[in-house]
Amino acid sequence: MIGFRFEVGGDWNAYLIFVGDLQGESFGAVLGFGDLGYQILNWLGANVGGGVYFVNMVCSTLFGLGLASFCRNQPRPWLALMVAVPYLVIVVSMGYTRQGVAIGLAMLAITKLHISDIRRFLLWITLAALFHKSAVILMPFAIFATSRFRFLTFVGLAIPLALLLALLLQLQLDYFLYNYIEAEYESSGAGLRIAMNAIPAVVFLAFNKRFSIEPHMRIFWLLMAWGALLLIIVLMLSPSSTAVDRVALYWIPLQLFVLSRLPDAIGVPGRRNPFWVTLIVVYSSTVMLAWLFFADTAHAWLPYRFYPWEALWS
């Protein structure tokens, strides 16, 4: 459904251009086109076969693996998936292909934190950064949460992390500043989407002791919750809501984590708690309908077209 979409998403034509620009180019040309992992897929699609559909299918597979792993790590996997569908699956993974992959791999990385495997976490985050460099923003949260000497770790990581960020963002810094800051791009509905992260953040901060999780994961999600609230202030101060909106996408897993565990945290532990489950399903359905009927970009998904269905009716 995601990988074989046809003319779906606001940036569909841009993704066609990405593939077309690399057609006939040497493999070394991918080094000059930005995010390395994504551009390698574009080069393969353009010169080996499959075009944009090859790129989208590989990206959707990586995203799906990350999402499935994250959801299966929750006590109510299907509820977590329900929360993910309206925005993360439909809008982000289909509309922001590169960042969708990065978020999927970041969710896979977060599952490694549950078993305190910081090395695999860093490995998956590094891979995510090859598709969208902004994924490195999650590194300090995890490292700070899993270290026994948090203050010293924070100080020790500050300089190398700053260097890493500078290295990863160097090639696209001028583009980012021009398009998002100097042009003061505005992202429609950014405040509402950041509020969608802030609501579960407030819930977790208020009831975090009722969530049955490992101590280091409690610290991780507490840091993420405070970060979600900080983004509200950043949004008010930033000249570009689009820049803040794109960063806030990495806080969507907080929605899945909190809302899927909410019935057990607020309801009776070990019971079905149908009231709270129904409430979350209604909330997610409302988000889906609100986006479908009122979002400025929803028309780019309507009607939803994908192969092989498209081939049967064309």
Side-chain angles (χ1 to χ4, degrees):
M1 291 291 290
I2 300 173
F4 285 146
R5 64 189 184 276
F6 173 70
E7 295 185 352
V8 169
D11 294 335
W12 174 261
N13 291 328
Y15 292 130
L16 293 179
I17 294 174
F18 290 156
V19 175
D21 285 345
L22 287 170
Q23 189 169 9
E25 297 285 346
S26 66
F27 183 76
V30 300
L31 298 176
F33 281 81
D35 302 297
L36 183 61
Y38 182 70
Q39 296 304 342
I40 288 175
L41 295 182
N42 280 324
W43 186 88
L44 291 173
N47 298 286
V48 177
V52 73
Y53 299 102
F54 168 79
V55 178
N56 288 344
M57 180 53 68
V58 174
C59 288
S60 64
T61 300
L62 294 174
F63 168 79
L65 287 173
L67 176 62
S69 297
F70 187 88
C71 291
R72 291 185 65 182
N73 208 42
Q74 312 309 317
R76 298 175 185 259
W78 288 106
L79 191 59
L81 185 60
M82 174 74 184
V83 175
V85 167
Y87 191 69
L88 180 58
V89 173
I90 293 181
V91 180
V92 176
S93 70
M94 296 184 190
Y96 314 139
T97 303
R98 290 174 297 169
Q99 207 160 3
V101 178
I103 294 171
L105 295 175
M107 289 190 293
L108 188 56
I110 292 173
T111 63
K112 303 306 176 184
L113 282 183
H114 283 274
I115 56 175
S116 299
D117 192 343
I118 189 65
R119 293 182 180 179
R120 289 190 180 182
F121 172 87
L122 293 176
L123 175 64
W124 286 113
I125 287 294
T126 301
L127 183 58
L130 293 179
F131 287 87
H132 207 281
K133 299 175 180 65
S134 56
V136 297
I137 197 171
L138 294 179
M139 278 189 178
F141 291 96
I143 296 174
F144 190 70
T146 54
S147 173
R148 294 182 179 180
F149 306 100
R150 295 186 179 90
F151 178 75
L152 294 177
T153 301
F154 179 79
V155 174
L157 283 172
I159 295 177
L161 181 61
L163 294 175
L164 176 62
L165 286 170
L167 177 64
L168 289 172
L169 298 174
Q170 181 179 2
L171 295 176
Q172 292 186 339
L173 183 59
D174 291 339
Y175 176 84
F176 179 85
L177 288 175
Y178 176 77
N179 285 283
Y180 285 165
I181 305 300
E182 293 181 13
E184 297 185 358
Y185 276 15
E186 292 299 319
S187 183
S188 176
L192 181 59
R193 288 187 289 273
I194 289 177
M196 288 171 60
N197 291 332
I199 292 173
V202 171
V203 171
F204 186 69
L205 289 172
F207 300 100
N208 75 88
K209 292 184 179 180
R210 302 189 66 173
F211 284 73
S212 179
I213 50 177
E214 300 85 352
H216 67 280
M217 290 308 300
R218 191 181 309 280
I219 295 173
F220 173 79
W221 289 114
L222 282 171
L223 291 172
M224 290 289 288
W226 283 114
L229 298 182
L230 180 62
L231 285 172
I232 299 176
I233 300 175
V234 175
L235 179 65
M236 293 188 292
L237 298 178
S238 174
S240 170
S241 62
T242 297
V244 183
D245 194 23
R246 288 302 180 94
V247 171
L249 294 178
Y250 292 100
W251 268 259
I252 294 179
L254 179 66
Q255 298 181 35
L256 278 60
F257 171 80
V258 174
L259 297 181
S260 67
R261 292 173 178 260
L262 193 62
D264 298 306
I266 295 183
V268 181
R271 299 291 183 87
R272 295 180 62 185
N273 298 307
F275 171 79
W276 293 108
V277 173
T278 302
L279 187 65
I280 293 168
V281 170
V282 170
Y283 166 77
S284 298
S285 301
T286 302
V287 171
M288 179 74 261
L289 292 173
W291 175 82
L292 185 63
F293 288 108
F294 299 109
D296 294 338
T297 57
H299 64 88
W301 276 256
L302 299 172
Y304 184 81
R305 304 163 68 185
F306 67 101
Y307 284 101
W309 188 263
E310 184 65 21
L312 295 175
W313 289 91
S314 61

